[in-house]
Amino acid sequence: MTSTGIRLHAPAPGWAIPADVVVVGSGVAGLTAALRCEAAGLTTVVVTKARLDDGSTRWAQGGVAAALGEGDTPEQHLDDTLVAGAGLCDEEAVRLLVTEGPGAVRRLISTGARFDTDDAGTIELTREGGHHRRRIAHAGGDATGAEISRALVEAVRERGLRTIENALVLDLLTDAEGRTAGVTLHVMGEGQHDGVGAVHAPAVILATGGMGQVFSATTNPAVSTGDGVALALRAGAEVSDLEFVQFHPTVLFLGPDAEGQQPLVSEAVRGEGAHLVDADGVRFMVGQHELAELAPRDIVAKGITRRMQEKGAEHMYLDARHFGAEMWEQRFPTILAACRAHGIDPVTEPIPVAPAAHYASGGVRTDDRGRTTVPGLYACGETACTGVHGANRLASNSLLEGLVYAERIAADLAAAHADGTLAARLPAPVPHADRPAHPLLAPEARLAVQRIMTEGAGVLRSADSLATAAERLRQLHAEAREALETDGKTPEPGVDTWEATNLLDVARVLVAAARLREETRGCHWREDRPERDDDHWRRHIVVTLRPDRSLAEHVTETADFPPTR
């Protein structure tokens, strides 16, 4: 691994605190990792971009997939995951997920999470797309993420973990040998710390969530700007499979010009028997897949998009009127309230839905202990690419992956702490560069990036659309770079310019990988290459950032993940 030396233009850190581990992000992955590290005696600091409960986790509706039900087994869960992943899952990574998953869910319950149970106290399980069994544990009907977030945040506060809220992490600090030495961050607003500072630590865990804000319409919150992936790229880490962005099939349609975070209509609604229909009431998914509306998400998203094209429609419908008012109110109160807030009553009318950007199956490449290609840098949750999801994530595997791999990272660090190797590698950070190495984008460029990506690299892609997107992104990057290199000018450092720059960084990688993968696989749908090509493309695309800010792409020789060390 060679460090790029690239850092965002930002003031030098004005303060610093020490730690054994700094966890960046406060969703299910980040807080689980932090709690386990703290329990092992590691001095742990949690840094989060907004409040502790403001990430993607609390928006998760459906639940956590695990083989908890009678007759279900990890092997069956593995089979469903491999099918959904369209030939690109790392089977051993999936096996770890499904075998360690049930125990991880039970430990989450012991932490304080309360799942829905029947009168006998047994966890209630539902079914979602791609699953052949009911294995989705849920909470509050359709508020699973909110309950998990509540339990973990309470545990963090009860145990007195040090947290820095409203802080955007900027860059990885490294020592002279390229090993992790902590992070720089900017704290927004007044508090114990303000402005740009640093946390010095020999281990950094990236759990910053997704990058849905790279598209105009997404289910992701506003904070999901790909910060962890962009930071890892600048640090020299390998990023893999970023072309596989899952578009959730059933997002509440708010109009063709709707932008930003859109309300999700959970797959669990279909799991309980809702039907996808067109304006004529025809169930168009029947006959397209053995599971019809419960096919894997990529298949359902494609089915909806095709029907929209055939009918010249802007959306399709999800019909669950047969549920009745009582079921809607008890099982899906959050979705019911969201629909009614937008003037739609699912009890009496079908819900207009259309696909929107939802989940990044790719990310910072890791091994089975969450280690990236940068020594001391770990990643888990949506930021990471563990090999679990392949070309398309199986519904409700995301929360489980966050739990399982966060625990594996903590175990690795606990072992290093116990044998003294973690303390022994406490490095001295390389001094902050005086001259900015990475040009910043103006705040308004965020909207430009989103529109470029939606038009050229959305649910439907082609060689022409991707080439256009790549050129427009290149122009944005070149203009910012030219201004910096010719007269030293770059937009004023700040949260809006840093976020726009991070979005451009991840957008460039996504488009480069999507152009390279000349096939349709999972949630990567190329109109000009409509067939899956296992002979040439049952492989992973790995991208790194060169010191001159250009991208280096390579394709693995097989579907196996190469080692990170």
Side-chain angles (χ1 to χ4, degrees):
M1 194 286 300
T2 303
S3 176
T4 66
I6 299 173
R7 291 178 179 170
L8 290 172
H9 177 31
W15 52 269
I17 58 175
D20 293 322
V21 182
V22 55
V23 179
V24 187
S26 60
V28 62
L31 294 188
T32 298
L35 288 166
R36 300 294 182 267
C37 286
E38 186 270 344
L42 294 156
T43 304
T44 305
V45 175
V46 177
V47 177
T48 188
K49 194 171 178 180
R51 298 188 307 272
L52 281 180
D53 63 350
D54 263 352
S56 293
T57 291
R58 75 181 180 97
W59 295 99
Q61 295 174 345
V64 183
L68 299 167
E70 184 177 352
D72 197 6
T73 65
E75 199 68 26
Q76 294 176 66
H77 189 181
L78 180 142
D79 289 343
D80 285 344
T81 301
L82 294 180
V83 169
L88 278 187
C89 295
D90 181 291
E91 186 167 341
E92 287 310 305
V94 178
R95 194 172 298 280
L96 288 173
L97 178 83
V98 299
T99 54
E100 298 181 11
V105 172
R106 294 186 182 100
R107 285 186 288 277
L108 177 62
I109 292 171
S110 69
T111 302
R114 297 186 291 265
F115 288 90
D116 295 337
T117 58
D118 60 20
D119 293 339
T122 303
I123 294 176
E124 292 182 337
L125 301 173
T126 190
R127 188 177 163 202
E128 293 185 351
H131 293 271
H132 283 79
R133 282 188 173 272
R134 297 176 76 90
R135 65 166 65 96
I136 317 299
H138 49 84
D142 59 356
T144 309
E147 171 56 19
I148 290 174
S149 181
R150 178 205 62 77
L152 291 173
V153 168
E154 282 190 9
V156 164
R157 287 175 173 156
E158 286 172 2
R159 297 181 194 180
L161 266 73
R162 187 166 192 173
T163 62
I164 304 176
E165 296 182 278
N166 301 306
L168 173 63
V169 168
L170 302 176
D171 282 302
L172 189 75
L173 291 172
T174 54
D175 66 8
E177 298 178 359
R179 297 176 302 177
T180 293
V183 293
T184 55
L185 62 154
H186 173 76
V187 180
M188 298 165 268
E190 296 181 0
Q192 184 179 1
H193 300 291
D194 195 14
V196 175
V199 181
H200 293 164
V204 172
I205 303 173
L206 295 177
T208 53
M211 55 180 195
Q213 290 292 325
V214 79
F215 294 96
S216 296
T218 177
T219 62
N220 291 190
V223 295
S224 297
T225 50
D227 306 320
V229 173
L231 176 152
L233 281 166
R234 291 190 294 272
E238 293 183 356
V239 170
S240 184
D241 298 355
L242 217 62
E243 69 271 31
F244 296 117
V245 175
Q246 187 177 80
F247 285 75
H248 197 288
T250 53
V251 176
L252 184 62
F253 181 74
L254 300 180
D257 298 322
E259 295 180 331
Q261 186 178 9
Q262 311 291 300
L264 176 66
V265 182
S266 170
E267 196 150 339
V269 177
R270 281 175 279 140
E272 295 292 350
H275 302 145
L276 281 167
V277 299
D278 59 22
D280 299 319
V282 176
R283 286 182 63 189
F284 54 87
M285 285 305 300
V286 174
Q288 292 197 37
H289 190 276
E290 60 167 336
L291 297 176
E293 286 93 350
L294 286 176
R297 288 181 177 175
D298 62 312
I299 294 172
V300 179
K302 291 171 188 175
I304 291 174
T305 304
R306 286 194 186 102
R307 196 66 163 189
M308 287 164 55
Q309 292 175 328
E310 291 169 5
K311 295 289 186 178
E314 294 177 324
H315 61 83
M316 290 287 110
Y317 293 93
L318 188 63
D319 192 351
R321 289 174 290 180
H322 54 285
F323 284 6
E326 184 177 355
M327 181 173 175
W328 268 111
E329 290 164 2
Q330 293 183 0
R331 181 66 180 85
F332 300 111
T334 306
I335 298 170
L336 178 64
C339 289
R340 285 177 170 169
H342 291 282
I344 299 153
D345 189 351
V347 177
T348 60
E349 59 186 317
I351 306 168
V353 293
H358 181 59
Y359 190 89
S361 292
V364 185
R365 195 169 72 79
T366 74
D367 65 8
D368 62 5
R369 286 182 277 175
R371 301 179 300 180
T372 74
T373 53
V374 177
L377 179 65
Y378 295 76
C380 56
E382 193 173 354
T383 309
C385 183
T386 62
V388 160
H389 304 307
N392 182 53
R393 176 179 65 96
L394 181 65
S396 288
N397 268 356
S398 51
L399 292 175
L400 189 71
E401 184 197 30
L403 285 171
V404 168
Y405 281 85
E407 290 189 341
R408 294 188 69 81
I409 289 172
D412 190 65
L413 288 171
H417 178 62
D419 65 19
T421 56
L422 186 66
R425 66 178 190 238
L426 182 62
V430 173
H432 190 276
D434 292 329
R435 176 174 166 77
H438 199 309
L440 299 181
L441 261 65
E444 57 269 22
R446 174 174 180 151
L447 187 60
V449 170
Q450 290 171 332
R451 289 179 174 170
I452 290 168
M453 294 299 289
T454 297
E455 293 169 10
V459 67
L460 291 177
R461 303 167 180 176
S462 68
D464 289 345
S465 74
L466 290 167
T468 299
E471 174 58 22
R472 293 172 68 189
L473 293 173
R474 187 200 65 76
Q475 290 174 358
L476 285 176
H477 185 258
E479 288 167 4
R481 180 173 178 171
E482 184 178 353
L484 175 64
E485 294 181 346
T486 55
D487 55 19
K489 291 184 178 179
T490 192
E492 189 69 22
V495 174
D496 48 4
T497 53
W498 290 321
E499 285 187 336
T501 303
N502 285 340
L503 285 172
L504 177 61
D505 286 345
V506 296
R508 291 174 63 213
V509 175
L510 193 162
V511 169
R515 294 183 75 187
L516 193 56
R517 183 173 292 281
E518 296 182 333
E519 65 160 355
T520 289
R521 181 185 298 271
C523 49
H524 172 66
W525 187 7
R526 287 276 300 256
E527 290 182 285
D528 57 325
R529 301 279 184 170
E531 302 301 323
R532 174 170 153 175
D533 182 359
D534 280 349
D535 289 341
H536 298 95
W537 287 108
R538 191 165 176 260
R539 292 164 174 76
H540 302 279
I541 295 174
V542 179
V543 182
T544 55
L545 189 65
R546 296 189 181 100
D548 66 358
R549 306 181 201 79
S550 64
L551 299 178
E553 310 123 25
H554 77 267
V555 181
T556 61
E557 295 182 359
T558 69
D560 296 331
F561 260 34
T564 58
R565 292 290 186 270

